[in-house]
Each structure stands twice: as structure tokens, then as C-alpha cells.
Amino acid sequence: MKPSNWLAIAAALVAVLLVPPLLTPGGEADEGSQIRSLRVLVPNAPGGGYDITARTATKAMEDADLLGNAEVFNLPGAGGTVGLGRTVAERGNGKLVMSMGLGVVGSVFTNKSPSSLLDTTPVAKLIEESDIVVVGKDSPYQNIGQLIEAWKKDPGAVQVGGGSSPGGPDHLAPMLMAKAVGLAPKAVNYVQFDGGGELLASVLGGKVAFGVSGVGEYRDQIAAGTLRVLAVTSANRIPGIDAPTLSESGVDVKFTNWRGIVAPPGIAESDRAKLVSLFERLQKTPQWQEALQRNGWTGAFAPGEQFGSFLKEENTRVATVLKELGLA
């Protein structure tokens, strides 16, 4: 063989050896392997809780060099069940996950979805978050007592907006509030929006009397003074938010939302393990810890099978609550 041919072969071998692998050292089946790219489906509109959680988590992953590249895309509709249906239809696709939470659990029942979260592959529960009762800065309601008084007097005239469909957290919270103050949940004039981003304009414009949404979605507007928080639904006050809990305001409600990540059904065990590992490593990064604090989120990590057990419990709990409220 001519020397030039030997040189060509040697050069080719060197090139192969120098091309970076798709995964970090450890091999395809190694749970610690880095995922090069990931698509994240958000089942509601931009600006909503699932959207903010997905974009915050993927940015933290990229900044911490846990993930090569992430594509976050929105597929809203029917309280998240359109996106759920798409995720279930992507059977075997280990490079797609969906950002979701309590709202999708409820929407499955109220929208009579043919797909359930129990059809998906549970990856991780990420956060818990209080809902907040908010009004625009020009609202006549200066405190939660004034709002409740007007609401009880004429529940139909006091519209409440939420960033989730019936059965979701922003719907369940005011329904539980209504029940606690002696109003029939069915008398509540609830206006649904596809995420907190869509709800915001109606709250600011006074098109609804008050809104219920996650605290992380409205941090900037609260800080700017364009939104006023009347109460928080959590058991304890939220640092940085000048508002009482519902409980200390005489409304016996303690309510917390949560969000997590699921993947399509039927994915390879190696893909499932890498996804769980990815979100497990995210918890330890300073980028994610800063994001939790900035958004007022509580870390509530539960991986894989542990999250799967939680989903089954939530499925049963939400079905029971909806029936008790006469909403399912």
C-alpha cells in the first residue's frame, strides 16, 4: 500500500477518535451519561406555570452543563390534555418530556380525556408552589376580607379568573375558598384561561374581579406594584410577599400546587434512567437552587417510581375532591 494511503487511513482514525461522543464517558447505558438534546413539551400557553418551570429548568441544565441543548415548545389546549395526548402518542420517544402538574390531573377528569397521566412514564416531581389571590392595582379590594364580603353578597357578579381549566389548581383553590365561606361552588363565576400569562391581562384590566395563580408567574408584576396580593393559599406566609394566608384571614383553606416531568410510555429503560438522572443532578446545581428562591418555589423532588406512586395518589384525591364539590 502506498504511504499516502496509510496516511489517509491514519488521519481518518484520528478524526474518529477526536469526534466527541454523543454522551459523556460511561456509555449509552450509564445512568450518569449526559443527554445531548431534549425536547420539552409545554401543554399550555407561554407565560404559564408549566412554561416557566420548563424554561427555568432547561436553562439551569444548560448553564450547569448537564444538557447540550433543549427545545421548549408549547402545545396548549383543553387544560393540558391536548399536550398529554401528544405525549402518550409519542410512545417510545426517549428524547421528549412534558412539563405538567396538578392541573393536568384535574383536566383529565373534567375534559373526559382518553389519555391519563397514568399512561405516561413518570420522570420527576420538581416543585411545590402556593397559589395567590391577586387583584390589579386599581381594584377596589384592598384586602381579602373586602373581597370575600363582596363575593358572598353576589357571587355571580364577582368573577374569578384562573390559569387552569376546571379541575386544575387555579380552579380548585377558589372552589375550596367558596365552600369555606359558605358559598356553593357551583355558584362561583369562574373564568378559565390557558395559563397565568393569559389571565394576567384580564386581572390588570379589571375584566375579572380577582385572579388565582401561582406565585412564580407574577413575581415581576407584584414587585412592580401592578398586582396586589390579597392572600396566599399555603399554610405559611411566603417570604417576600406582603400578604396573609387564607387560614389566618378566617378562610379555612390550605392548598399547594405542584409540577413535574413525564415522558411518553414505552421508552427504553436506559432512556428512562438517563432522564431521571438528569433531573436528579439538576437538584444539586446552584442555578436551580437560585431559581427556586427567585420564583418562590419549594423543592419537592421525587424521582421515577416514587413520582409514579404520587401520581396515582393524586389521581384518586382529585377525583374525590371534584365529586365532593359537585364538579365531576
Side-chain angles (χ1 to χ4, degrees), residues 175-192:
M175 294 302 159
L176 292 170
M177 287 171 57
K179 184 179 180 182
V181 300
L183 288 175
K186 287 187 176 181
V188 174
N189 189 353
Y190 178 78
V191 183
Q192 73 176 71

Side-chain angles (χ1 to χ4, degrees), residues 119-132:
D119 297 325
T120 65
T121 299
V123 175
K125 178 186 174 189
L126 294 180
I127 65 163
E128 291 182 350
E129 177 185 43
S130 172
D131 264 2
I132 50 177

Side-chain angles (χ1 to χ4, degrees), residues 81 84-85 88 107-108 111-117 119:
T81 56
L84 173 62
V88 172
S107 293
V108 166
N111 287 284
K112 296 180 171 51
S113 170
S115 299
S116 163
L117 284 166
D119 297 325

Side-chain angles (χ1 to χ4, degrees), residues 12-314:
L13 287 172
V14 170
V16 169
L17 292 172
L18 290 178
V19 170
L22 292 178
L23 302 169
T24 54
E28 189 74 22
D30 186 351
E31 287 189 21
S33 297
Q34 184 182 31
I35 295 174
R36 189 176 181 87
S37 64
L38 187 67
R39 301 189 77 214
V40 184
L41 187 157
V42 175
N44 65 0
Y50 303 147
D51 187 70
I52 292 173
T53 304
R55 295 181 191 279
T56 301
T58 53
K59 186 178 188 306
M61 288 175 180
E62 291 172 342
D63 290 348
D65 293 326
L66 299 181
L67 180 65
N69 178 61
E71 177 197 352
V72 180
F73 67 101
N74 300 78
L75 185 62
T81 56
V82 170
L84 173 62
R86 164 70 179 276
T87 302
V88 172
E90 291 277 343
R91 172 175 286 275
N93 185 354
K95 297 185 183 300
L96 172 74
V97 296
M98 184 178 82
S99 175
M100 46 65 72
L102 176 58
V104 181
V105 178
S107 293
V108 166
F109 293 105
T110 57
N111 287 284
K112 296 180 171 51
S113 170
S115 299
S116 163
L117 284 166
L118 302 183
D119 297 325
T120 65
T121 299
V123 175
K125 178 186 174 189
L126 294 180
I127 65 163
E128 291 182 350
E129 177 185 43
S130 172
D131 264 2
I132 50 177
V133 180
V134 295
V135 295
K137 64 181 179 63
D138 297 324
S139 168
Y141 307 119
Q142 299 297 315
N143 56 59
I144 189 67
Q146 293 175 349
L147 173 61
I148 295 297
E149 183 180 355
W151 200 21
K152 290 172 68 174
K153 185 176 180 180
D154 191 351
V158 181
Q159 290 185 318
V160 51
S164 58
S165 64
D170 300 349
H171 173 252
L172 289 175
M175 294 302 159
L176 292 170
M177 287 171 57
K179 184 179 180 182
V181 300
L183 288 175
K186 287 187 176 181
V188 174
N189 189 353
Y190 178 78
V191 183
Q192 73 176 71
F193 297 85
D194 201 351
E198 290 190 2
L199 169 64
L200 179 61
S202 289
V203 174
L204 292 176
K207 294 181 180 179
V208 294
F210 68 103
V212 176
S213 192
V215 62
E217 296 172 67
Y218 293 156
R219 280 276 183 180
D220 292 343
Q221 290 78 17
I222 295 167
T226 55
L227 282 180
R228 182 162 60 249
V229 183
L230 301 185
V232 301
T233 67
S234 51
N236 301 305
R237 290 197 177 204
I238 301 173
I241 301 293
D242 184 20
T245 66
L246 286 172
S247 296
E248 66 182 288
S249 303
V251 182
D252 188 17
V253 171
K254 296 175 184 177
F255 183 87
T256 304
N257 188 15
W258 58 265
R259 299 193 192 105
I261 300 291
V262 296
I267 65 174
E269 175 57 28
S270 58
D271 286 336
R272 186 201 68 81
K274 283 184 285 188
L275 287 170
V276 171
S277 176
L278 173 65
F279 284 93
E280 196 162 36
R281 285 178 288 153
L282 171 67
Q283 310 307 307
K284 302 171 185 176
T285 66
Q287 291 88 345
W288 180 245
Q289 293 303 314
E290 189 275 332
L292 292 176
Q293 184 175 2
R294 182 178 71 249
N295 288 288
W297 296 338
T298 299
F301 183 69
E305 293 180 2
Q306 186 179 339
F307 182 39
S309 298
F310 174 80
L311 280 178
K312 291 177 183 177
E313 294 171 0
E314 284 293 270

